[in-house]
């Protein structure tokens, strides 16, 4: 028996990697539920996935091969199950969490390594002490480089892998500048000897490259993360995937409903109706939840469950109590004589009040458009367009117009990601617009064929009618802004034209700058999005799969730099989510713990970064002596002096709050006071390199300070703002004001306007009113600005009689060149505005 027991233990140990991978995946599922309440899953759901993977993975006689098969199948199966219930913004985040967890469990990377990736420059404990060697490298990225160069990764030698990176940037300036200016640096060799060194690190290499890209090219972090996922898990994890409604229906049961998580413009009702017709379950009973609808829904379910009908419960976030009761009925089998064909479909908006038991029972599905043109077209040609649809109309122009409408649909939806640069108003275009447009094209072509024997070419096709119906009626019915309407009309003119019927006609054809220069000048790649010339649906799907994974902004008619702002925002959001959900740890082994690290940070901040307090009595006395502009008496009633006092009061509140928080943190870590939720949140924020929420917003959510990522930069701004106010109070009015350094910039400009209005005393219109004076009406005073020369120095110029000089303003999307707006250089998205002279006119 002992021999047999030992033999069983040995064989069981061979399968430990499967159990390890299972635990990693389960805890990732738990962590992703912290992103959104709607992502909650149960242990039973995971165990079902685990058992299914063991039973359905490829068999093998060799134990090691069998373990590999189960592990691979389990990972992908869990990914597909979780992925269909995640919103698009969280799908890459979840996979990155899985990769990090797998690598840390295998001890290939440590928690400190992951922290470096997430924090970047926030891992620094002091402001950068070296000047950046490249103008192409912005200040934030230079701080990232310094943080990266001081970090020790888990390697055999356990040394700072990127220790020489700052020196490499200086030695190979031209190579690094070209690499930074590329549109796709993730696909180019890394300058210096880093490409070879990273390649030699077989296991750690992909993570090292990810950290380097995250630090030097922050806007490419999300793209680099997908490459990292592809290298660690496989290509199938980054390819576009679409779960058909039929496959979800096959997985569901009478007691396992399908739960759709609604987002803007997403409504699965029409898709469910189409599937019901195919399965001969039409019509589907629909109940829109709301006040008094619980009884109606209950009656419909009890009526259709015995006969195998389908029920859609819509907007169930308005009937949460009924959801609890319904889940109890399904769990306890209290529905009478449930037919095996009965299906329950539920739609709800995300809410933290949704019953947990229903989330852990139902199959969760999101129905929002996927990210990217390739993914959008892939979903369209998988779920909406099929071979039968391509063959509906016997006309060569039919298939060209189908692809054109689908391409237009993906373009206008994907353009929303650029924010105000994409659309003035973020319209909720959805599949109903696409289906209505395809239906119109079908009827139009059917009517055209009925009246002519022409079955090829564009004879008889009125493109003006097609453009009007699609751009002005189908999609245009949602558009409210005239500029957006003009943009959509431009798309219509580009796509719906006669030459789209030419073989391999191009919908989009442009040259994109690669960021590389040769002897002839900039090297450009030609990008063409064509219309496949085929009658087979498989040819269309193959073409869609061949499209670039990353879309250039020029596909949408935007400037190449439009991508930078969007991708930077997207990458920062992903990093913030992972940072919020991962455990707060100091590291592994002998590394310092979280509390010890934060205690040291707080001690340093209290010594060097918190400015001195303002004394209210001293402030009032000094303001009484402050002079006003020429013609106005000094004292506390001068408009700008009033403004100064208000700014100092607000600054003192922030300084007091910061000082109290830092003191409380030290006392709580020492155990002298209770660790309250507010103190704990502040500790976690400082550990992550962030600014505590309490320093930025008050209890009502109103903003009380300035929004800057990273507490070091926030404290730097605190010092500069305090310095401006302190110098103004103790010396005299500044020669130039830092407008962005005030809590209330608009209040400053209003105070300037008030002073000018007081200075302007008009002459009396009648002789008898000579003793009566009148000043400009404040409502009639407007601003007038003059941009000074870049070399202008306000300290060497006399103080203006009227108005003020201000500095610190930034232009976004343009720069000032010889007094006129001009295109920015290279990859820049912002430019400093020279000193601005603000004066008033009546």
């Amino acid at each position: 028996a002992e021999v047999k027991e030992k033999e069983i233990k040995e064989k069981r140990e061979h399968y430990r990697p499967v159990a390890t991978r299972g635990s990693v995946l389960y805890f990732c599922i738990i962590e992703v539920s912290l992103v959104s309440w709607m992502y909650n899953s149960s242990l039973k759901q995971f165990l079902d996935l685990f058992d299914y993977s063991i039973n359905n993975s490829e068999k093998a006689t060799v134990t090691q091969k069998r373990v590999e098969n189960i592990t691979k199948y389990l990972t992908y199966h869990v990914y597909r199950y979780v992925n269909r219930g995640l919103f698009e913004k969280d799908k890459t985040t979840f996979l990155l969490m899985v990769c990090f967890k797998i690598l840390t469990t295998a001890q290939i990377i440590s928690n400190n390594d992951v922290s470096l990736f997430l924090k970047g420059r926030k891992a620094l404990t002091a402001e950068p002490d070296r000047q950046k060697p490249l103008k192409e490298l912005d200040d934030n990225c230079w701080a990232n480089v310094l943080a990266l160069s001081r970090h020790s990764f888990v390697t055999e030698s356990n040394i700072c892998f990127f220790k020489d990176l700052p020196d490499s940037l200086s030695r190979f300036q031209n190579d690094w500048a070209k690499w930074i200016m590329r549109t796709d640096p993730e696909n180019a060799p890394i300058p210096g000897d880093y490409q070879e060194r990273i390649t030699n690190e077989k296991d750690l290499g992909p993570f090292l490259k990810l950290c380097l890209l995250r630090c030097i090219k922050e806007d490419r972090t999300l793209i680099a993360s997908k490459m990292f996922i592809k290298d660690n898990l496989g290509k199938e994890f980054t390819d576009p995937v679409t779960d058909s409604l039929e496959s979800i229906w096959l997985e569901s049961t009478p007691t396992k409903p399908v739960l759709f998580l609604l987002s803007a413009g997403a409504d699965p009702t029409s898709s469910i109706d189409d599937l019901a017709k195919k399965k001969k379950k039409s019509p589907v009973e629909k109940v829109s939840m709301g006040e008094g609808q619980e009884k109606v829904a209950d009656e419909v379910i009890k009526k259709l469950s015995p006969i195998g009908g389908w029920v859609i419960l819509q907007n169930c976030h308005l009937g949460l109590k009924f959801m609890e009761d319904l889940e109890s009925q399904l769990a306890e089998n209290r529905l009478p004589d449930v037919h095996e064909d009965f299906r329950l479909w539920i739609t709800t908006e995300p809410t933290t009040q949704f019953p947990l038991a229903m989330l852990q029972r139902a199959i969760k599905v999101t129905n929002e458009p996927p990210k990217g043109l390739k993914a959008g077209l892939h979903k369209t040609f998988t779920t909406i367009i099929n071979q039968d649809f391509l063959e509906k109309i016997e006309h060569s122009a039919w298939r060209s117009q189908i692809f054109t409408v689908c391409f237009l649909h993906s373009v206008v939806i994907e353009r929303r990601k650029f924010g105000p640069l994409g659309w003035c108003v973020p319209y909720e275009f959805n599949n109903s617009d696409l289906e209505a447009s395809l239906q119109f094209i079908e009827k139009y072509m059917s009517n055209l064929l009925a009246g002519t024997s022409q079955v090829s070419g564009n004879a008889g096709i009125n493109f003006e009618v097609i453009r009007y119906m699609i751009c002005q009626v189908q999609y245009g019915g949602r558009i409210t802004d005239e500029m957006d309407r003009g943009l959509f009309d431009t798309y219509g003119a580009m796509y719906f034209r006669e030459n789209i019927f030419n073989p391999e006609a191009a919908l989009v054809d442009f040259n994109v700058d690669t960021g590389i220069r040769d002897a002839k000048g900039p090297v450009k790649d030609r990008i063409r999005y064509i219309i496949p010339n085929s009658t087979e649906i498989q040819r269309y799907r193959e073409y869609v799969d061949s499209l670039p994974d990353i879309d250039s902004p020029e596909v949408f008619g935007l400037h190449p730099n439009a991508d930078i702002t969007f991708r930077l925002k997207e990458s920062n959001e992903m990093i913030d989510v992972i940072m919020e959900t991962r455990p707060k740890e100091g590291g592994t082994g002998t590394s310092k713990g979280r509390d010890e690290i934060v205690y040291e940070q707080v001690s340093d901040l209290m010594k060097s970064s918190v400015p001195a307090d303002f004394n209210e009595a001293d402030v009032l006395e000094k303001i009484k002596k402050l002079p006003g502009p020429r013609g106005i008496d000094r004292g506390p009633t001068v408009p700008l002096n009033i403004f100064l006092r208000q700014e100092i009061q607000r600054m003192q509140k922030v300084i007091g709050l910061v000082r109290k928080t830092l003191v409380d943190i030290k006392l709580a870590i020492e155990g002298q006071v209770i660790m309250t939720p507010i103190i704990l949140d502040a500790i976690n924020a400082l550990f992550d390199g962030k600014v505590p929420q309490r320093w930025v917003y008050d209890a009502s959510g109103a903003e009380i300070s300035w929004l800057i990522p990273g507490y070091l930069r926030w404290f730097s701004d605190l010092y500069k703002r305090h310095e401006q106010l302190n110098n103004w109070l103790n010396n005299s009015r500044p020669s130039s004001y830092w407008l962005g350094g005030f809590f209330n910039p608009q209040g400053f400009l209003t105070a300037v306007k008030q002073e000018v209005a007081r200075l302007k005393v008009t002459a009396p219109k009648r002789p008898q009113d000579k003793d009566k004076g009148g000043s400009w009406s404040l409502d009639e005073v407007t601003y007038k600005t003059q941009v000074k020369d870049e070399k202008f120095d306000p300290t060497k110029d006399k103080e203006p009689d009227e108005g003020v000089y201000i500095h610190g303003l930034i232009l976004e999307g343009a720069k000032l060149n010889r007094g006129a707006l001009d295109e920015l250089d290279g990859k820049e998205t912002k430019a400093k505005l020279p000193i601005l002279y603000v004066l008033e006119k009546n």
Side-chain angles (χ1 to χ4, degrees), residues 186-187 220 223 529 547-552 563 567:
E186 64 277 358
N187 295 323
R220 311 299 288 181
I223 296 169
Y529 286 77
L547 293 177
D549 293 325
I550 303 164
D551 306 315
S552 169
D563 210 30
R567 294 205 178 277

Side-chain angles (χ1 to χ4, degrees), residues 790-813:
E790 290 185 2
K791 298 180 181 179
F792 175 76
D793 185 357
T795 60
K796 297 179 181 178
D797 193 70
K798 69 173 185 177
E799 184 180 348
D801 294 332
E802 298 176 13
V804 291
Y805 294 125
I806 60 176
H807 65 273
L809 299 183
I810 292 192
L811 279 173
E812 185 173 7

Side-chain angles (χ1 to χ4, degrees), residues 697-714:
Y697 302 100
D698 64 12
S700 67
E703 191 178 314
I704 60 173
S705 72
W706 43 97
L707 303 176
I708 290 182
Y711 74 87
L712 282 179
R713 285 185 59 200
W714 190 90

Side-chain angles (χ1 to χ4, degrees), residues 267-285:
D267 184 4
T269 305
S270 59
S271 301
I272 297 172
D273 284 336
D274 291 341
L275 180 64
K277 291 175 184 176
K278 184 178 178 181
K279 300 300 178 183
K280 298 181 181 179
K281 293 294 180 181
S282 185
V284 180
E285 289 285 346

Side-chain angles (χ1 to χ4, degrees), residues 345-364:
W345 310 82
I346 299 171
T347 70
T348 178
E349 291 181 1
T351 170
T352 55
Q353 304 301 314
F354 201 88
L356 178 61
M358 182 60 85
L359 291 174
Q360 294 181 339
R361 170 175 295 275
I363 300 172
K364 294 181 286 294

Side-chain angles (χ1 to χ4, degrees), residues 403-548:
F403 189 86
T404 303
V405 172
C406 295
F407 187 84
L408 170 68
H409 178 73
S410 292
V411 164
V412 298
I413 283 182
E414 194 66 14
R415 193 179 168 108
R416 285 189 309 208
K417 72 184 181 183
F418 295 101
L421 291 177
W423 297 103
C424 297
V425 179
Y427 304 104
E428 295 182 2
F429 300 124
N430 56 45
N431 281 347
S432 64
D433 301 310
L434 173 61
E435 291 166 357
S437 299
L438 291 172
Q439 190 175 16
F440 161 73
I441 295 290
E442 180 185 347
K443 289 184 178 179
Y444 179 83
M445 296 301 294
S446 297
N447 293 336
L448 182 66
L449 283 178
T452 179
S453 59
Q454 192 88 18
V455 295
S456 63
N458 59 356
I461 297 178
N462 190 327
F463 285 98
E464 189 174 343
V465 170
I466 292 176
R467 284 194 293 265
Y468 179 82
M469 286 300 297
I470 292 178
C471 301
Q472 294 290 334
V473 178
Q474 307 295 2
Y475 287 90
R478 297 182 183 274
I479 297 176
T480 56
D481 186 89
E482 285 304 314
M483 293 183 70
D484 289 340
R485 191 173 298 280
L487 172 63
F488 214 112
D489 288 343
T490 303
Y491 277 134
M494 285 175 57
Y495 298 158
F496 298 102
R497 60 187 193 276
E498 292 187 9
N499 63 355
I500 66 168
F501 302 114
N502 297 336
E504 303 290 305
L507 290 168
V508 179
D509 189 352
F510 63 92
N511 293 320
V512 60
D513 190 354
T514 61
I516 305 172
R517 298 183 69 86
D518 58 17
K520 298 180 181 178
V523 177
K524 297 191 175 185
D525 285 340
R526 188 182 182 187
I527 295 181
R528 299 179 79 239
Y529 286 77
I530 64 171
I531 301 175
N533 185 19
S534 177
T535 59
E536 300 295 327
I537 186 67
Q538 190 58 34
R539 169 73 179 86
Y540 286 86
R541 290 172 178 168
E542 288 172 358
Y543 172 70
V544 169
D545 290 339
S546 71
L547 293 177

Side-chain angles (χ1 to χ4, degrees), residues 78 158 162 165 219 249 272 286 299-300 388 410 477 507 524 561 612 695 747 762 775 795 798 811 834:
V78 170
N158 197 31
F162 291 103
L165 183 57
D219 58 297
W249 164 75
I272 297 172
K286 304 175 184 67
E299 290 175 352
V300 169
D388 292 339
S410 292
L507 290 168
K524 297 191 175 185
N561 285 359
W695 295 356
T762 58
S775 59
T795 60
K798 69 173 185 177
L811 279 173

